[in-house]
């Protein structure tokens, strides 16, 4: 009898130990957000960044993340504008609204410590982006300004409807780069795009762009060459 009671006690302690919060939950309610796909980045314990892409409908969106220790969370609009940032921890239930003074956050610590935010960004942005020289015609090449949204593909199958929607949505800032040594293949592939955005061919691939670790890939880069977002599409 005593042995059974001890066994039950051990089992109950094990369940209690494993029953801690597994994620944090964020709710956004703001008419100004409208209907759009948001991009959420948050820091993992190893310094890498996780990406969540919730869709806001009529100003409402929800998402979850896993942060066993305090994590910097940043929310971007579909055009790449940062909407807000804060610190989150598993178990937090966070609600975000917007008014004339900006984002109002309940249930989370504001990301107000510049040193810690800078440190987190340095961990995730160890590779500076240098704009590569790309082929735009059979005998011509160009080097574009680094600042903008770079989308890299390397195969016709990678240029899915979702990828092309991302390119068209960001066409004013996008650099649509195809990674290949085959100029004719690239021209034939993009012939029907009716592109109103920058398109180029990158024959050297990762040799010229160290941050290009896989395709299709989206990189958002600021004017200093800092990679703000890196998303596997």
């Amino acid at each position: 009898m005593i042995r059974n009671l001890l066994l039950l006690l051990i089992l109950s302690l094990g369940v209690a130990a494993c029953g801690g919060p597994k994620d944090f939950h964020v709710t956004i309610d703001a008419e100004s957000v409208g209907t759009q796909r948001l991009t959420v980045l948050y820091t993992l314990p190893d310094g890498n960044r996780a990406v969540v892409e919730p869709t806001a409908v009529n100003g409402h969106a929800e998402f979850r993340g896993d942060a066993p220790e305090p994590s910097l969370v940043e929310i971007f609009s579909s055009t790449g504008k940062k909407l807000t940032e804060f610190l989150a921890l598993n178990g937090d239930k966070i609600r975000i609204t917007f008014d004339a003074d900006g984002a109002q956050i309940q249930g989370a610590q504001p990301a107000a410590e510049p040193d810690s935010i800078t440190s987190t960004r340095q961990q995730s942005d160890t590779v500076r982006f240098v704009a590569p020289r790309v082929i735009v015609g059979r005998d011509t090449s160009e080097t574009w300004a680094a600042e903008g949204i770079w989308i890299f593909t390397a195969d016709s199958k990678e240029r899915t409807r979702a990828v092309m929607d991302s390119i068209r949505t960001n066409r004013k800032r996008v650099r649509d780069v195809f990674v290949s040594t085959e100029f004719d293949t690239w021209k034939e592939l993009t012939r029907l795009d009716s592109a109103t955005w920058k398109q180029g061919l990158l024959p050297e691939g990762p040799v010229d762009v160290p941050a290009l670790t896989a395709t299709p890939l989206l990189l958002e880069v600021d004017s200093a060459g800092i990679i703000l977002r890196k998303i596997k599409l």
Side-chain angles (χ1 to χ4, degrees):
M1 181 70 175
I2 294 176
R3 182 179 177 182
N4 289 340
L5 288 174
L6 287 173
L7 181 59
L8 287 172
L9 178 61
I10 292 170
L11 289 173
S12 65
L13 289 173
V15 170
C18 297
K22 301 298 184 184
D23 57 19
F24 62 88
H25 180 246
V26 178
T27 301
I28 300 172
D29 281 302
E31 289 185 4
S32 60
V33 172
T35 298
Q36 60 176 306
R37 186 172 68 175
L38 305 175
T39 299
V40 178
L41 292 90
Y42 66 91
T43 308
L44 299 172
D46 62 5
N48 289 318
R49 300 283 265 163
V51 180
V52 182
E53 294 186 301
T55 298
V57 178
N58 296 328
H60 179 82
E62 296 185 36
F63 65 90
R64 295 180 181 273
D66 183 11
E69 56 188 59
S71 172
L72 175 67
V73 181
E74 298 173 291
I75 302 178
F76 297 85
S77 72
S78 61
T79 60
K81 177 184 177 182
K82 181 185 289 187
L83 300 178
T84 188
E85 62 182 24
F86 52 89
L87 297 178
L89 182 66
N90 283 350
D92 287 347
K93 297 186 183 301
I94 300 163
R95 183 170 183 266
I96 302 174
T97 57
F98 290 86
D99 59 23
D101 296 322
Q104 304 301 314
I105 304 172
Q106 299 175 343
Q109 297 179 357
E113 296 83 0
D115 292 341
S116 65
I117 293 173
T118 300
S119 175
T120 300
R121 283 181 178 156
Q122 286 174 345
Q123 290 179 12
S124 60
D125 295 329
T126 55
V127 178
R128 285 290 183 98
F129 181 87
V130 178
R133 194 165 185 81
V134 296
I135 296 171
V136 295
R138 190 171 294 278
D139 300 313
T140 56
S141 61
E142 293 180 354
T143 301
W144 302 321
E147 184 177 11
I149 293 176
W150 296 73
I151 295 181
F152 297 90
T153 56
D155 186 273
S156 60
K157 295 179 181 178
E158 294 181 350
R159 297 176 73 82
T160 62
R161 177 175 296 180
V163 169
M164 296 308 297
D165 283 347
S166 293
I167 290 173
R168 290 188 174 94
T169 298
N170 297 287
R171 62 184 179 275
K172 292 183 179 180
R173 303 180 60 215
V174 82
R175 289 87 167 89
D176 173 14
V177 180
F178 193 70
V179 183
S180 174
T181 58
E182 300 295 329
F183 179 85
D184 291 335
T185 298
W186 167 61
K187 292 303 291 184
E188 180 63 24
L189 178 64
T190 58
R191 182 172 57 87
L192 300 179
D193 285 348
S194 300
T196 56
W197 58 87
K198 293 182 182 295
Q199 288 187 313
L201 182 71
L202 183 68
E204 297 299 330
V207 173
D208 283 347
V209 185
L212 179 56
T213 53
T215 56
L217 185 74
L218 180 151
L219 297 177
E220 182 177 3
V221 182
D222 71 7
S223 58
I226 302 277
I227 297 174
L228 303 176
R229 289 193 292 163
K230 181 176 180 179
I231 302 173
K232 180 70 168 63
L233 297 172

